[in-house]
Amino acid sequence: LPPTLMIGGTRDLLATGCRLLADRALAAGWDLTYLERPGLIHVFPLFPGIPEAERAFGISARFLAG
């Protein structure tokens, strides 16, 4: 699989599965970067005007730019 970026929050309903995927990716040698932010929900990177979303957008843009 290609290098992948996964961003989530600790209040995300999928957080447990994201952590499991990140652990399995590491074990398999898959280049997956998982960033988890405390107290945030699944779609926090889409919220306009919050600093965490702006940082997530910047991280995503740098990841995609290579």
Side-chain angles (χ1 to χ4, degrees):
L1 296 169
T4 302
L5 173 64
M6 181 170 58
I7 300 174
T10 58
R11 296 193 62 186
D12 187 336
L13 293 176
L14 303 174
T16 302
C18 290
R19 292 179 198 129
L20 180 60
L21 179 61
D23 289 343
R24 289 183 177 178
L26 179 64
W30 175 23
D31 183 8
L32 181 138
T33 301
Y34 177 47
L35 303 173
E36 184 176 278
R37 298 297 182 240
L40 296 172
I41 63 172
H42 181 69
V43 296
F44 84 87
L46 302 177
F47 293 157
I50 65 168
E52 295 87 355
E54 292 175 16
R55 283 192 290 275
F57 182 82
I59 290 167
S60 298
R62 285 188 297 280
F63 179 81
L64 291 171

